Amino acid sequence: MSTPPAPAPPAAHPALVTPSASTNHIGDRRLAGVLLMLTSGLSSQIGASVAAQAFPVIGPVGVVAVRQWMAAVVLFAIGRPRLHKLTARQWRPVLGLALVFAVMNVSLYTAIDRVGLGLAVTLEFLGPLAVALLGSRRVIDLICALAAAPAVLVLTRPQAATDYFGIAAGLLAAACWASYILLNRTVGRELPGATGAAAAATVSGLAYVPVGIVVLHHHPPTAAAIAYALTAGVLSSAVPFLLDLLALRRVPAQFFGVFMSINPVLAALVGYVVLRQHLAVPDWIAIGVIVAANCVAVEAGRRATSRTGSSRGMRASSRRAGRTG
């Protein structure tokens, strides 16, 4: 015979709940969310640094193939998309997202291999920054763009060891991330929950099967290289996906978007500690400027949306009052 559960304590009367207790509860949730987001960012960047360990054996494309297979399995298990039930209208953005997944990862890993983790991730983050700036006409966003532009020039400035192909790969990853943001909105409207992302990851994983077979045939993998690639798939795909879901239950989506901007800094730190990739002082300053510009742009967008939503709500209330009067 099982022991019956203990009765829940009586709920406190609202008048007896002190503001400090409520504030502490919100603060605890926010702190937990920040820790989850920080762990997610570190997991993603450590995963990229682990993937780099396999580059000498199977190359960036081989690592991406293994990672795509891992991501397809994980997201398929989470989203459980019924591919045979998708309509032609739903398939179009899903296929676009699958193409973006495939190109974004291989371009990012190519950039990491050639220009280092910190610079590659910073260049990739120009994608969401461009989406935020190009879709706005606010003065503050123009200021952010004017601040970020010279920082990008500093990062890509000609030097004796400048790898222009690696920089181009990082910028391609940025374009892919911008496309991902725009396509994800369409996929989110057409398909519920994680179904769209799971379907796109599955298609991308299947597309990488012949690519992976050819690459791994010409570059025979070692057990260590496969282990690195699989670990990268878990740390850079599965773990951040789960932690981000948990974090979004504790912090506002806008705060989540601002905090994501710390990833280039985390990437530069992980690249320095794990991969011994050193950046010059101007590069650190440029990364800081781009991160700050992204934070300001996202926060300004949040405030503008809040004001628009509030004014619309007030106008709707006035209309309702007019109809009932």
Side-chain angles (χ1 to χ4, degrees), residues 86 90 94 186-197 199:
L86 298 184
Q90 293 171 328
V94 165
T186 304
V187 171
R189 288 194 299 266
E190 297 291 339
L191 293 164
T195 303

Side-chain angles (χ1 to χ4, degrees), residues 218-319:
H218 287 88
H219 302 277
T222 62
I226 293 297
Y228 285 138
L230 289 173
T231 301
V234 173
L235 292 178
S236 296
S237 297
V239 173
F241 186 84
L242 177 60
L243 293 179
D244 290 347
L245 286 177
L246 294 174
L248 283 167
R249 296 177 183 175
R250 292 166 172 80
V251 299
Q254 295 84 357
F255 181 76
F256 178 87
V258 172
F259 195 89
M260 277 186 63
S261 302
I262 200 175
N263 271 278
V265 177
L266 294 177
L269 290 173
V270 170
Y272 177 77
V273 174
V274 178
L275 301 177
R276 304 300 180 191
Q277 295 172 345
H278 299 271
L279 292 174
V281 173
D283 295 326
W284 281 103
I285 295 173
I287 290 174
V289 169
I290 291 173
V291 168
N294 203 30
C295 290
V296 171
V298 172
E299 178 63 16
R302 180 192 69 80
R303 293 183 178 180
T305 302
S306 299
R307 287 195 297 268
T308 302
S310 299
S311 61
R312 286 177 180 171
M314 291 176 64
R315 288 196 296 268
S317 299
S318 299
R319 287 195 296 269

Side-chain angles (χ1 to χ4, degrees), residues 11 28 36 79 82 110 145 161 184 195 212 241 263:
D28 290 344
L36 285 168
R82 297 182 180 181
T110 299
N184 213 27
T195 303
F241 186 84
N263 271 278

Side-chain angles (χ1 to χ4, degrees), residues 112-238:
I112 291 173
D113 185 38
R114 301 180 73 100
V115 300
L117 182 59
L119 177 54
V121 173
T122 303
L123 291 174
E124 186 193 31
F125 257 78
L126 295 176
L129 178 59
V131 171
L133 296 180
L134 293 176
S136 172
R137 297 177 181 175
R138 297 186 302 268
V139 175
I140 186 65
D141 289 331
L142 176 61
I143 295 173
C144 290
L146 293 175
V152 174
L153 293 177
V154 168
L155 289 175
T156 59
R157 66 192 184 278
Q159 299 182 78
T162 298
D163 189 322
Y164 292 104
F165 184 81
I167 291 174
L171 294 175
L172 177 59
C176 287
W177 198 348
S179 301
Y180 165 81
I181 293 171
L182 299 175
L183 279 170
N184 213 27
R185 295 173 182 172
T186 304
V187 171
R189 288 194 299 266
E190 297 291 339
L191 293 164
T195 303
T202 301
V203 172
S204 181
L206 291 174
Y208 262 99
V209 170
V211 175
I213 290 174
V214 171
V215 171
L216 297 180
H217 174 72
H218 287 88
H219 302 277
T222 62
I226 293 297
Y228 285 138
L230 289 173
T231 301
V234 173
L235 292 178
S236 296
S237 297

Side-chain angles (χ1 to χ4, degrees), residues 52-151:
Q53 309 295 328
F55 289 167
V57 180
I58 59 177
V61 177
V63 174
V64 170
V66 176
R67 174 181 165 172
Q68 290 298 103
W69 298 337
M70 171 66 72
V73 170
V74 171
L75 288 177
F76 188 89
I78 294 174
R80 302 194 178 195
R82 297 182 180 181
L83 301 180
H84 62 284
K85 290 191 175 182
L86 298 184
T87 65
R89 178 176 175 176
Q90 293 171 328
W91 266 117
R92 282 192 290 270
V94 165
L95 291 176
L97 196 58
L99 177 63
V100 166
F101 280 157
V103 178
M104 180 166 62
N105 287 322
V106 75
S107 57
L108 175 63
Y109 277 20
T110 299
I112 291 173
D113 185 38
R114 301 180 73 100
V115 300
L117 182 59
L119 177 54
V121 173
T122 303
L123 291 174
E124 186 193 31
F125 257 78
L126 295 176
L129 178 59
V131 171
L133 296 180
L134 293 176
S136 172
R137 297 177 181 175
R138 297 186 302 268
V139 175
I140 186 65
D141 289 331
L142 176 61
I143 295 173
C144 290
L146 293 175

